[in-house]
Amino acid sequence: PESESCGSMRELEEARRIPPMKTPALIAAALCVLPLAGALAQPCGSDHAPRPAALFERFVSADCAACWSEPRTPAPGPSALVVDWIVPTPSGDDAPLSAAATPDALARLQDVGRAAPAGTDVHTAPLIAAPGRLRVAMGPAVNDYVGAVIRFTPPPTARPPLRFWLVLVEQLPAGAEGSPVARHVVRNAWHGEWPGGALADLRPMRIPDGARVERLGLAGWVQDAAGRTLAAAQAPCAATPSSTPAR
């Protein structure tokens, strides 16, 4: 039967046929189908999560420790998909928030046409009225990886080429680690462009050092050539560590 969290058996068979020394796709397939027992296998997906009405992204400079704990931190309503990016700076590892900074934040800023902020910047995007069907899912954590799946069927009005973002987030409730608002901090990202039509892919995503595996979730969105957000989805669950937890 088809897995509701890690892709169809056809997708997994295709991943297995790729020479393992050529691509990490086999790792992702293994993460989804490992016969872990009981609480050790708790994959999750966006199937039963509410569809977000908008995408709300906060970009925080890694140099701005005060921005993290700012009481007036911008926050949306409950229907938005929230993503927090920690933007690296020339200070490198000396920046106070450098442990969670990712170069993907710079790529995302370029994607939305914004400069790296000195403090906090916010980008919002409503979903179009007739969105496409997007599904994201994540397998259990095994060693330093989770298997991530994205599937998307675009609406007829989508203007190709299409662009997707799939982000592994560390979910922090309000009050955690000094933040006055709940955070969904991007710890890894996978993004790309394709000429249109349906998308279905399965990839491994590395869990970076310092991330707490029990807090991990997955989110994704798709844009068209006009910059419209066609769909967004989130798997707001926590990955369950395997017997060899990520370090």
Side-chain angles (χ1 to χ4, degrees), residues 1-204:
E2 181 172 304
S3 165
E4 286 300 317
S5 296
C6 288
S8 68
M9 291 305 298
R10 178 185 58 78
E11 291 168 338
L12 297 177
E13 288 298 331
E14 288 175 354
R16 290 191 190 98
R17 286 197 292 270
I18 300 172
M21 296 302 292
K22 300 294 185 182
T23 177
L26 189 65
I27 299 173
L31 296 184
C32 290
V33 299
L34 277 175
L36 302 177
L40 297 181
Q42 297 293 335
C44 61
S46 60
D47 302 283
H48 304 296
R51 171 184 168 267
L55 175 63
F56 185 95
E57 299 174 87
R58 287 183 291 238
F59 295 89
V60 180
S61 169
D63 283 335
C64 190
C67 296
W68 179 264
S69 54
E70 168 57 53
R72 296 183 296 276
T73 296
S79 63
L81 170 58
V82 180
V83 176
D84 289 276
W85 300 91
I86 308 299
V87 183
T89 69
S91 301
D93 292 343
D94 292 331
L97 303 180
S98 63
T102 170
D104 291 305
L106 296 172
R108 181 57 183 163
L109 282 166
Q110 183 177 18
D111 200 39
V112 297
R114 292 174 181 257
T120 297
D121 192 13
V122 172
H123 172 257
T124 60
L127 269 66
I128 67 171
R133 295 193 303 275
L134 175 65
R135 179 175 181 271
V136 299
M138 181 173 71
V142 178
N143 293 327
D144 293 328
Y145 288 87
V146 293
V149 169
I150 183 168
R151 291 182 180 175
F152 178 65
T153 302
T157 56
R159 302 178 191 175
L162 306 181
R163 186 164 185 81
F164 71 89
W165 284 81
L166 188 65
V167 294
L168 185 66
V169 296
E170 190 166 357
Q171 304 164 119
L172 307 177
E177 301 186 19
S179 173
V181 296
R183 302 269 186 182
H184 296 78
V185 182
V186 177
R187 303 310 308 267
N188 200 349
W190 168 39
H191 53 95
E193 187 177 282
W194 81 103
L199 170 71
D201 214 334
L202 165 69
R203 292 292 176 94

